[in-house]
Amino acid sequence: MGSSTKRKKEKQKDFQKPKLKVGKARAKPENFTDTSFRSKAIVLSQQSLHLAAPSANSQFTHHLSLLSSKSDTQRRDSLAHLTTTLASRPVNSPLPQPVSVILPSLLPLLLDASNNVRTQLLKLLRTLPTTDVEDHVGQLLPYVRAGMTHLAADIRLSAIEVLSWMVEAAGEQVVACAGGWIKTLNCFMSVLGWHTEESSRWSSNRASFGKSGSKGKPMIKVLGALAELLSAGIGEPGTVDDLPGQTESSWQFPLCQTGQHMLSESSAPYAYLNLFGQPRDEEGEMYETREDRYRVFESRFMPAIQRGLKSAREEGGELGRASSGVAKVLKGAVAYGPGP
């Protein structure tokens, strides 16, 4: 009885009207906040106001710095802004930033987990001038090879697409740079499952492309990229002129083999000497001539690729037609041989 009477009294307190005394203000509630103060000025730290809009170069640099953002949407939007800026610039006008400054921020995105980021990155790479891409193939290839051997199937396919663009833009530089021939072919062997005798001891004999691998579409893209690489590396060489409009036979005596004495257009004409770099093994060596590339290809990769093409033709369909493109390039290379 005692506890119930106490509860009744507590409830009655809520409905009792407080008695106010003359000259004494009403008691303030417990959650009362005093807002009677006034401020003459509000100071915001780290704020900079400008009347003029930022320049295009400053915006380009700003979005370039945002490529390391943790947000996938921010990285994709920044890549889209950079792509629009490069694509809309006047013809023959310089880039807002040199390619040597742009590439270090772009290269890690080749292995980005977001498919939208990698797709937008490829669009950006296609807007870069071809002459600038030729000088930076050595920087791109290690990241492309890392993507080709990645555990994620979609990252492997994105790396294959980037490699196809590189071969299209600078095929000769791709196959002739340090590690560009043997290491890249080893990556193709790993992706396709056409392993050589050495790698078949520790790896499987069949490539896995994830959920979409059953339809064969990823394999078709890989075979197309392999055909492009082989065509650039050991395909039948074309006629190379010493100067535009002048062939070797057009030079009069004593100007014989003039092209061998002209200034090289490459940014590093003596890179093959490796004067200041680390010692290279056979895989990291530069194979600048078609004869050297064909000799290495014939001894290390020819049997494995022929076995793989045979099994691909047996499956038929689109995969068989894609393998015929590689077989055609390989047939032309064998017919031409190591050269005259």
Side-chain angles (χ1 to χ4, degrees):
M1 285 299 290
S3 59
S4 60
T5 305
K6 183 178 180 181
R7 284 196 297 268
K8 289 181 181 180
K9 291 182 179 180
E10 291 178 353
K11 289 182 179 180
Q12 290 177 358
K13 290 182 180 179
D14 297 334
F15 300 97
Q16 290 179 356
K17 185 176 181 181
K19 297 180 179 180
L20 302 178
K21 296 182 179 180
V22 179
K24 189 174 182 180
R26 180 181 296 181
K28 297 179 181 180
E30 296 180 356
N31 59 350
F32 173 76
T33 302
D34 186 9
T35 59
S36 61
F37 65 92
R38 292 184 179 182
S39 178
K40 295 183 179 180
I42 299 178
V43 179
L44 299 179
S45 59
Q46 299 180 354
Q47 185 183 28
S48 178
L49 301 177
H50 298 278
L51 297 178
S55 62
N57 290 347
S58 62
Q59 291 183 11
F60 188 90
T61 305
H62 174 65
H63 282 279
L64 196 64
S65 64
L66 293 178
L67 295 181
S68 59
S69 174
K70 295 183 179 180
S71 173
D72 299 346
T73 305
Q74 181 63 67
R75 295 196 300 272
R76 183 199 61 192
D77 294 343
S78 296
L79 286 172
H81 180 273
L82 298 177
T83 305
T84 304
T85 303
L86 295 179
S88 60
R89 64 187 177 88
V91 181
N92 298 329
S93 62
L95 298 176
Q97 292 288 344
V99 177
S100 58
V101 177
I102 299 175
L103 275 184
S105 300
L106 300 181
L107 294 178
L109 299 181
L110 291 172
L111 307 176
D112 196 276
S114 174
N115 187 33
N116 295 329
V117 174
R118 297 192 307 273
T119 303
Q120 189 62 48
L121 174 63
L122 182 58
K123 295 179 181 179
L124 173 59
L125 292 175
R126 292 185 182 277
T127 60
L128 296 176
T130 304
T131 55
D132 293 334
V133 174
E134 293 175 353
D135 296 334
H136 297 85
V137 166
Q139 291 181 264
L140 285 163
L141 270 181
Y143 285 88
V144 172
R145 289 195 294 263
M148 293 175 64
T149 55
H150 201 276
L151 294 177
D154 53 350
I155 295 181
R156 293 200 298 268
L157 291 179
S158 298
I160 291 294
E161 294 177 353
V162 174
L163 181 62
S164 298
W165 160 76
M166 290 176 60
V167 174
E168 179 184 356
E172 182 65 25
Q173 286 72 22
V174 170
V175 297
C177 71
W181 185 238
I182 294 183
K183 289 185 177 180
T184 306
L185 286 176
N186 281 330
C187 291
F188 270 107
M189 296 297 101
S190 177
V191 171
L192 292 169
W194 301 349
H195 300 290
T196 58
E197 295 181 358
E198 294 80 5
S199 60
S200 61
R201 299 173 183 174
W202 53 267
S203 182
S204 61
N205 295 324
R206 183 70 177 173
S208 61
F209 290 94
K211 187 177 181 180
S212 59
S214 59
K215 298 182 180 179
K217 293 181 180 180
M219 182 78 80
I220 294 172
K221 292 184 179 180
V222 177
L223 288 176
L226 177 60
E228 295 173 358
L229 183 71
L230 293 179
S231 178
I234 59 175
E236 184 175 352
T239 302
V240 180
D241 299 340
D242 295 335
L243 288 176
Q246 293 180 330
T247 60
E248 186 71 24
S249 59
S250 63
W251 292 93
Q252 301 297 327
F253 181 81
L255 301 178
C256 299
Q257 299 180 349
T258 309
Q260 304 296 330
H261 305 283
M262 301 296 291
L263 293 176
S264 176
E265 297 180 357
S266 175
S267 61
Y270 301 107
Y272 68 95
L273 296 176
N274 194 27
L275 298 176
F276 306 103
Q278 296 292 332
R280 297 172 182 162
D281 53 4
E282 186 181 4
E283 294 186 356
E285 193 58 60
M286 297 177 66
Y287 299 94
E288 296 187 301
T289 62
R290 180 194 178 277
E291 290 75 16
D292 293 339
R293 292 192 291 266
Y294 183 84
R295 185 186 69 254
V296 174
F297 176 81
E298 185 180 21
S299 61
R300 299 188 58 170
F301 301 102
M302 181 80 77
I305 290 183
Q306 288 178 341
R307 291 194 302 266
L309 290 176
K310 181 180 178 181
S311 61
R313 285 195 302 269
E314 292 176 353
E315 294 189 14
E318 295 183 1
L319 187 60
R321 289 192 292 270
S323 64
S324 64
V326 182
K328 183 178 180 181
V329 176
L330 197 61
K331 183 179 179 181
V334 173
Y336 186 80

